[in-house]
Structure formats: C-alpha cells, structure tokens
Amino acid sequence: DFRERTLVAVKPDGVQRRLVGQIIQRFEQRGFKLVGLKMLEASEELLSEHYCELRMKPFYHGLLRYMTSGPVVVMVWEGHNVVQTSRTMVGHTNPAEAPAGTVRGDFSIHVSRNVVHASDSVEGAQREIQLWFQEKDILNWDCCDQTSTGD
Ligand code: DAT
Ligand code: MG
C-alpha cells in the first residue's frame, strides 16, 4: 500500500537539541512523502490519549512531564510500508539497544529522552493521526516529475 501513513513526532528534547532537520532529512532521503507537519505544545489531555495504553506504567507521569516540557514537531509520513520502516529507522525504545544508524541509536542515550516517536502499527497510526491532525491539514500532493508544468 503506497498510501500507508504513520505519525512521527520529534519530542521536546529533539526540538531543543536542533535535531528536527536531521530527522526530517532521514525520512525524505529514504523516500517517504511528508503529508502533514506542525509544531505545537501538546496538552496533557492530548498526550494522555496518545499514551493511553501506558497509563498504568510507573514512568507514565514522568513521560507526560517530559512531553509537555516544550514544543514537539509532529509529522505524517506516507509511503510503502512506512509504519514498519519508520520503526526500524527510529530504533529500539531504549536507545542503549538501538543500533547506530537509527535515530535513537545516533542521537540518544536514555529511554526517557529518546528524541522521537513513531506509530507502532497501521491501526495505531490511524488512531494517532486522527488524534493529532485534522483531515484538512493532511495534504495530498503529486511529485513534479509526474505532472506537467502546464506552461
Ligand atoms: P516507543 O516510543 O518505542 O513506541 P512505548 O510506546 O513502549 O515505546 O513507550 C512510549 C514512550 O514511553 C517511550 O518512547 C519512552 C517512554 N518509556 C517507555 N518505556 C520506558 C521505561 N521503561 N522507562 C522510562 N520511559 C519509558
Ligand atoms: Mg509506542
């Protein structure tokens, strides 16, 4: 499915460490298509929905404090197998177990400051995209090498 979509977010530490450009570059370079992008300070309400499955975890409150500590950059990326490939590109949740070459393996050392989020399933991605984006803010566009200039 070439229209598969996933949600990727640069977390507050990633924004503060000026890693947004490098993270976007990796997804562009791989061949995925950016169809949604915004920067915001996420509310606790939004994050508690986003991380609803983790509500009972001991790190949950720290996670919400971290995720509200500054702006995040949230993106929707589209392309063949984008959910699974993004997870591979992002690397293991715990950066200590993330290989070099992955975002977490290259840019982070601690599980509670792991720089980036990526949806973990196609269904999860759909849920998260609906949560973070309005339909009108996700844009369909065609590549210039596949369309006539018209002039
Ligand atoms: P992922 O972000 O790789 O999908 P997850 O969904 O299991 O991982 O957890 C969401 C975030 O919660 C994760 O990126 C960082 C934080 N987290 C997970 N496990 C943790 C732990 N053992 N200690 C501290 N924070 C943790
Ligand atoms: Mg997750």
Side-chain angles (χ1 to χ4, degrees), residues 26-133:
R26 288 174 180 227
F27 285 84
E28 284 192 330
Q29 187 172 287
R30 190 69 188 257
F32 294 123
K33 182 171 163 181
L34 183 62
V35 295
L37 172 73
K38 64 178 174 183
M39 187 180 205
L40 72 155
E41 288 178 323
S43 68
E44 260 190 56
E45 190 188 0
L46 176 60
L47 289 163
S48 65
E49 275 296 315
H50 178 79
Y51 282 130
C52 59
E53 288 166 1
L54 301 177
R55 208 161 279 168
M56 302 315 290
K57 300 282 185 186
F59 56 81
Y60 177 75
H61 291 286
L63 175 62
L64 259 57
R65 214 175 319 120
Y66 159 48
M67 291 297 294
T68 54
S69 66
V72 294
V73 172
V74 193
M75 299 170 269
V76 181
W77 288 93
E78 185 179 281
H80 176 63
N81 210 24
V82 68
V83 172
Q84 194 191 323
T85 303
S86 298
R87 292 290 292 189
T88 305
M89 290 167 68
V90 161
H92 195 281
T93 303
N94 182 355
E97 295 177 49
T102 65
V103 176
R104 287 166 174 166
D106 288 347
F107 297 127
S108 65
I109 54 173
H110 199 284
V111 66
S112 64
R113 296 290 181 277
N114 62 6
V115 174
V116 72
H117 168 81
S119 310
D120 68 2
S121 66
V122 172
E123 304 72 50
Q126 284 166 354
R127 184 184 77 82
E128 291 174 3
I129 290 166
Q130 279 182 24
L131 188 62
W132 289 85
F133 282 86

